[in-house]
Each structure stands twice: as structure tokens, then as C-alpha cells.
Amino acid sequence: MSVNSDLKKAGIDIVQQLNEKDVSAIASNIASKLCLAFPEHNLKRNTLISAISNINMYIANMPEDYSQAKYFYKNNSIYFKRYSSPEEMSNVAVHECIHFIQEITDENYNLVRMGLYKVNSGLAINEAAVQLMTSEANTCEICEEKYYGINLKTSSPDYYPLQCAILNQMAYFTGTYPLYHSTLNSNDIFENTFTLKSGKKIYDKISKYLDTLLYLENDLNYYIHDLRNTDKVRRMKTLNNIISQRKEEIRSTFFKAQNLIIKSCFENSFKSIRNLDEIKEFQQDLYKFKNIMGYTENYTFYNDFYCNIMNSLEDKRIYIIKHGEINLFDKDSKALSLINTTKESYSFAKVFMIKLKKLFRVNVNGEDINYL
């Protein structure tokens, strides 16, 4: 299939090509943004300016569900929905230029890899990674939003907010350096780092959840568009039912991913605790995680997990006081594993948890919600 055929299939209709002066200004702005935002990744401003200046840039008519800019790797081009100042166009093109930086093609210009995306898997996790970097490069502020009934804080309210939230939770355990390194250089450093914190199967499962979220959101948008363009009552009723179902599936998938991260990463971290200082650090990490979670009024998983693992943590604390620092190489040590992660009877820690209850208050529509 030719490039023109691909563009037509994607619904991209070129209006005009940007002049050299505008392209140069956009390239300069984006290079500066990336170098300032990510100095630890050794990006070279002049090299970036030269590379981005060679991208073909066009104003084009595009489908409503597309973002304000779209990178097309087959002909090394970026398409904008409308013409504005080079500064404004730079903001919307950062995401597309990161795609340009991360792409790897074979000798026939077939895409081999793009950041965390490996052609057959990882599309959504890569889009989330690129969007997190875009938000940081554009110095976007964090705001509180609500999507499909899910409350969360995000720096990307308009693009991939749920996917970005989940990936941000993964990066909580790895740091952003391996994430951004793999996003820019198309390697497995982030995947391998997160795997050490959770397990390979967990990484793959979360990646699939993110792909599912992307599919469900696209599917939902299709039915919403269909609803707006029908006047048949029976069809409206059917579409409303489908839309409600898709929204529930989105909520369910999001919390499956979030809960899996909480359980796998914190349980794995628990097993590596050796002394009282690490117990204190673990408690702080677990408590602070609530600041990056998504939640609904009926969400209880984090609360339940917190209570149960705090019981186990108290047992480990008592063990360390009695026996000293834990030897992680002693495979037979009972202190290495979780003692209790169920809703069974609380031990000494129950009283402690009741005292902490008021610390976990989250505002939902102006009302205080207790997480404990």
C-alpha cells in the first residue's frame, strides 16, 4: 500500500505544507524543551534541531478523534489539524517528535520498534510513556480530574490520562530514568527494571491491561459518535446500554491494573525488608502511594491491603527486634514472606491502624472519604 493510500485510509487530507521558517522555529522550540526537561539523557540540542527540521510538516484535515498533531513514520511527516503560532504548534508536536526520535525501522523502512512498543505489543504503554514525557517537557501542571467515575491526579488531562496514571504508578517503583531512557532509546531497561520489582508476567499483564483500556476507549468513542448521529429511539437505547457497559469495563480494567501494581510491587518490596530503617521506609512508600492512585467512592482494595500488610509489617518488626537484622539469603526464614495478606483477625497492629485512620481522608465531590 502506498503512503498516499495509507493517508487516505487514516482520513488525513493535506491542506498545505509548512514553510521552512516555521519548521525551523518548531524544531528549535521542541529541541529546547526536551533538553531542558531531560538533561540526564544527554540529548544534543543542535542534533535534535537538525533532525526535527528534516521532518515534513503539513496542515491537514483529520478525523475528530485524532489529536492536534499526528506523526506518520512511513513518510517522516507530522500533520497538524490547524495552523497557529510555531510556539503553540511546538506544544502539540512534542509527542509526535518523541515518536520520531524513538522509531527503529529495518532496511525496507518497516517499523521494528518504537520505544516500549514492540510492533505486536505495548502500543498503549508506549503512548503513555511518550505522553508523560510530553507533559513534563511542556511543564504541565498536575490537576484533579474524573474519568468514567475514576478520580485521579494527572498532568495529562486530555491525552491517555488513565494509561498515564497506571504507568506513573509503575514508575513509582522504578524511578523515571529507566522509563524515559527506554522510551527514547527503544530498549528493555524499563521493562527489566520493573520486572525486578514485580515479575515478568506482571509487566506483561499490566501492558495488556493498558492495551485493553486503549481499545475500550476507542470503542466507546465510536459508540458515542454513533449516538450523536442517530435519531432512532431503539438505536439510542441500545447504544446507551453499550456505552454504560464500556465505561464499566474501563473502570474495571483500570483497577485491575492498579491493584496488581499495588499487590505485586509492595509484596515484593516487603520481602526484601531487613531492618527497622527499611520498615520505616516501606511504611512511607506505601502511605505516599495513595497520592498517585485512582479511586472511586467504593474503592477499598488499597485500604484493605494497607491494613493487612501493616499487620504483617508489625510481625516483622517484632521479629527484627527479637532476632536482629534479617538475612535475605536464608530461604527458610519465615520473616521473608508475607505472614498475612487476608482479611483475617487483626493483631496488635489493629489498634495502631485505628489511630492512623484519620490520615487517609480523600476529598470526593467536597465530601471526606475515609480510606481506613
Side-chain angles (χ1 to χ4, degrees):
M1 183 179 292
S2 67
V3 171
N4 288 336
S5 297
D6 287 338
L7 291 175
K8 186 176 181 180
K9 184 177 180 181
I12 297 175
D13 181 26
I14 295 174
V15 175
Q16 69 180 73
Q17 185 168 6
L18 293 186
N19 61 54
E20 187 176 332
K21 182 180 178 181
D22 284 346
V23 171
S24 179
I26 291 170
S28 180
N29 287 338
I30 292 175
S32 295
K33 285 173 178 289
L34 293 176
C35 289
L36 287 172
F38 312 107
E40 67 277 18
H41 293 282
N42 298 316
L43 297 171
K44 306 300 182 183
R45 184 173 180 275
N46 289 338
T47 302
L48 284 175
I49 291 175
S50 177
I52 296 172
S53 294
N54 287 320
I55 300 176
N56 303 306
M57 299 187 188
Y58 301 91
I59 305 300
N61 296 318
M62 295 189 287
E64 291 183 7
D65 57 347
Y66 274 30
S67 60
Q68 294 300 308
K70 181 74 173 178
Y71 175 64
F72 207 68
Y73 79 90
K74 290 187 177 181
N75 63 348
N76 190 40
S77 299
I78 293 178
Y79 301 91
F80 295 91
K81 272 190 175 179
R82 63 185 179 86
Y83 180 84
S84 56
S85 69
E87 290 78 11
E88 291 181 10
M89 297 177 80
S90 298
N91 289 337
V92 300
V94 170
H95 186 109
E96 310 311 320
C97 285
I98 294 175
H99 278 321
F100 164 71
I101 292 169
Q102 64 180 187
E103 73 173 20
I104 297 176
T105 57
D106 60 21
E107 61 275 7
N108 295 317
Y109 301 101
N110 295 312
L111 186 65
V112 174
R113 180 162 179 167
M114 185 175 278
L116 306 181
Y117 176 52
K118 300 179 181 179
V119 180
N120 293 320
S121 66
L123 176 62
I125 196 171
N126 185 62
E127 289 294 345
V130 172
Q131 187 55 36
L132 283 177
M133 294 188 73
T134 298
S135 297
E136 193 163 334
N138 285 330
T139 61
C140 297
E141 295 183 358
I142 295 176
C143 57
E144 294 189 21
E145 298 288 345
K146 191 170 186 176
Y147 305 93
Y148 315 110
I150 303 170
N151 297 276
L152 53 80
K153 295 178 181 178
T154 179
S155 60
S156 180
D158 299 320
Y159 303 107
Y160 310 109
L162 298 183
Q163 292 85 350
C164 285
I166 292 299
L167 185 56
N168 190 44
Q169 292 174 19
M170 296 172 74
Y172 185 80
F173 298 94
T174 66
T176 57
Y177 181 83
L179 173 59
Y180 295 162
H181 188 281
S182 289
T183 302
L184 290 170
N185 298 285
S186 297
N187 59 42
D188 293 332
I189 289 179
F190 172 68
E191 178 179 339
N192 293 338
T193 304
F194 186 79
T195 294
L196 290 174
K197 304 291 183 179
S198 62
K200 182 65 169 64
K201 290 182 179 180
I202 300 299
Y203 178 90
D204 291 341
K205 199 167 187 178
I206 294 170
S207 181
K208 288 180 180 178
Y209 280 143
L210 294 180
D211 284 340
T212 299
L213 276 176
L214 189 60
Y215 166 78
L216 289 171
E217 288 178 315
N218 288 337
D219 203 37
L220 176 63
N221 288 333
Y222 169 81
Y223 288 114
I224 290 175
H225 181 267
D226 197 3
L227 179 62
R228 290 171 179 168
N229 291 279
T230 186
D231 55 2
K232 298 179 180 179
V233 176
R234 187 173 181 180
R235 179 60 178 167
M236 287 181 181
K237 183 177 180 180
T238 299
L239 289 171
N240 277 316
N241 288 335
I242 294 174
I243 289 170
S244 295
Q245 181 182 357
R246 290 296 181 273
K247 288 181 177 179
E248 179 54 40
E249 289 173 335
I250 288 171
R251 283 191 292 271
S252 175
T253 302
F254 176 87
F255 285 114
K256 283 179 182 178
Q258 176 172 285
N259 295 347
L260 185 59
I261 292 170
I262 293 171
K263 178 176 172 59
S264 60
C265 292
F266 279 116
E267 286 190 359
N268 187 64
S269 179
F270 178 94
K271 293 175 184 178
S272 67
I273 292 174
R274 301 168 299 170
N275 52 52
L276 297 179
D277 287 339
E278 291 178 358
I279 283 181
K280 184 177 181 180
E281 184 179 349
F282 178 90
Q283 288 175 313
Q284 292 174 342
D285 289 343
L286 181 59
Y287 179 78
K288 291 178 181 178
F289 188 83
K290 71 184 180 68
N291 295 324
I292 61 171
M293 292 192 317
Y295 61 90
T296 63
E297 293 185 7
N298 298 319
Y299 179 69
T300 63
F301 181 89
Y302 172 79
N303 172 56
D304 295 335
F305 182 86
Y306 189 101
C307 291
N308 292 326
I309 204 167
M310 287 298 287
N311 283 322
S312 298
L313 199 64
E314 175 62 17
D315 290 333
K316 180 168 277 196
R317 187 185 73 82
I318 293 172
Y319 180 93
I320 291 172
I321 291 174
K322 184 176 181 179
H323 300 284
E325 185 169 301
I326 297 171
N327 180 5
L328 297 180
F329 295 100
D330 182 2
K331 296 181 180 180
D332 296 326
S333 174
K334 294 181 180 180
L336 297 182
S337 60
L338 283 171
I339 299 169
N340 175 31
T341 56
T342 65
K343 294 184 179 180
E344 296 174 358
S345 61
Y346 292 4
S347 61
F348 165 84
K350 180 178 180 180
V351 177
F352 173 70
M353 292 306 304
I354 292 175
K355 291 181 179 180
L356 282 181
K357 186 174 183 179
K358 292 184 179 181
L359 295 178
F360 287 81
R361 302 182 74 85
V362 182
N363 187 276
V364 180
N365 296 328
E367 301 178 0
D368 283 335
I369 302 297
N370 280 327
Y371 263 81
L372 292 176

